[in-house]
Amino acid sequence: MLAARIAELLEAQFPGLLLASDLDGLHPSLTLCPESWKEVAAFLHHDPRARFNFLRCISTVDLHPEPFIELIYDLLALEPAGPGEPWRCAGTIAVRLRVPRDAGSVPSVADIWPAAEWHEREAFDLMGVRFEGHPDLRRILCPDDWVGHPLRKDYQYPTEYHGIPAGPAPPTGEPEPP
């Protein structure tokens, strides 16, 4: 399944939703308006012309100093190759959504791709993106009382956490061992 065909399907089904496309290269991607993401995700998963039944990952990119965080959903269409054969990839596409850095949110797709439940929690924990309708949106890597989102480019690392020193040690005047 060619990425260009998916772009045509989405443009026909959701006119004006496609903001940009990069279909050449090894990682074809479509940049979409985030407002209709839930409907688009359901279409990409359920429509027999797409059948993107596997969410490989959700990546986030802090575009600072631009006021956006970009979410990248890597989707695959997997199908059985035949009796006794492994599954094969019938197509792949990356869907990109840009949300505001301050209070950015998109609808959760954990009910469409169950793997999204943990990926969305990671994006929330480390970048601060909220996923509306997520079944259990809470931190997954940092402690519950951690302040801020440590993968943002402008994150200010704490000097301590509950009395435990954090960050680089102050210089002692002695050279570091090799």
Side-chain angles (χ1 to χ4, degrees):
M1 165 183 343
L2 296 174
R5 179 69 182 129
I6 298 304
E8 291 170 6
L9 284 172
L10 288 179
E11 191 60 42
Q13 188 72 25
F14 304 95
L17 184 75
L18 184 61
L19 300 176
S21 63
D22 181 5
L23 304 178
D24 300 324
L26 299 175
H27 197 227
S29 66
L30 304 171
T31 302
L32 308 177
C33 293
E35 292 77 23
S36 300
W37 172 229
K38 182 77 166 197
E39 295 79 16
V40 172
F43 174 81
L44 288 171
H45 184 271
H46 301 304
D47 190 276
R49 297 167 292 176
R51 290 195 183 156
F52 285 100
N53 54 1
F54 185 78
L55 171 68
R56 182 183 353 216
C57 69
I58 301 172
S59 303
T60 55
V61 179
D62 186 353
L63 299 174
H64 184 72
E66 292 183 48
F68 299 104
I69 290 176
E70 188 170 65
L71 297 145
I72 304 160
Y73 293 76
D74 279 307
L75 305 174
L76 287 90
L78 298 178
E79 57 187 27
E85 296 292 322
W87 287 61
R88 69 179 185 87
C89 183
T92 182
I93 194 77
V95 175
R96 296 173 177 267
L97 309 173
R98 283 190 173 187
V99 298
R101 289 183 92 246
D102 297 327
S105 72
V106 295
S108 172
V109 292
D111 58 328
I112 297 169
W113 294 290
E117 185 172 344
W118 284 50
H119 292 288
E120 289 174 351
R121 285 181 59 192
E122 182 180 26
F124 164 70
D125 189 6
L126 300 178
M127 294 290 262
V129 177
R130 300 198 67 80
F131 295 87
E132 302 306 320
H134 189 280
D136 187 21
L137 191 62
R138 60 188 165 97
R139 290 194 180 271
I140 193 168
L141 297 171
C142 294
D144 291 338
D145 63 345
W146 194 264
V147 176
H149 306 284
L151 288 187
R152 287 188 175 212
K153 289 181 179 175
D154 60 350
Y155 179 70
Q156 296 295 313
Y157 287 90
T159 56
E160 72 170 14
Y161 175 72
H162 293 285
I164 302 168
T172 62
E174 296 179 20
E176 289 190 30

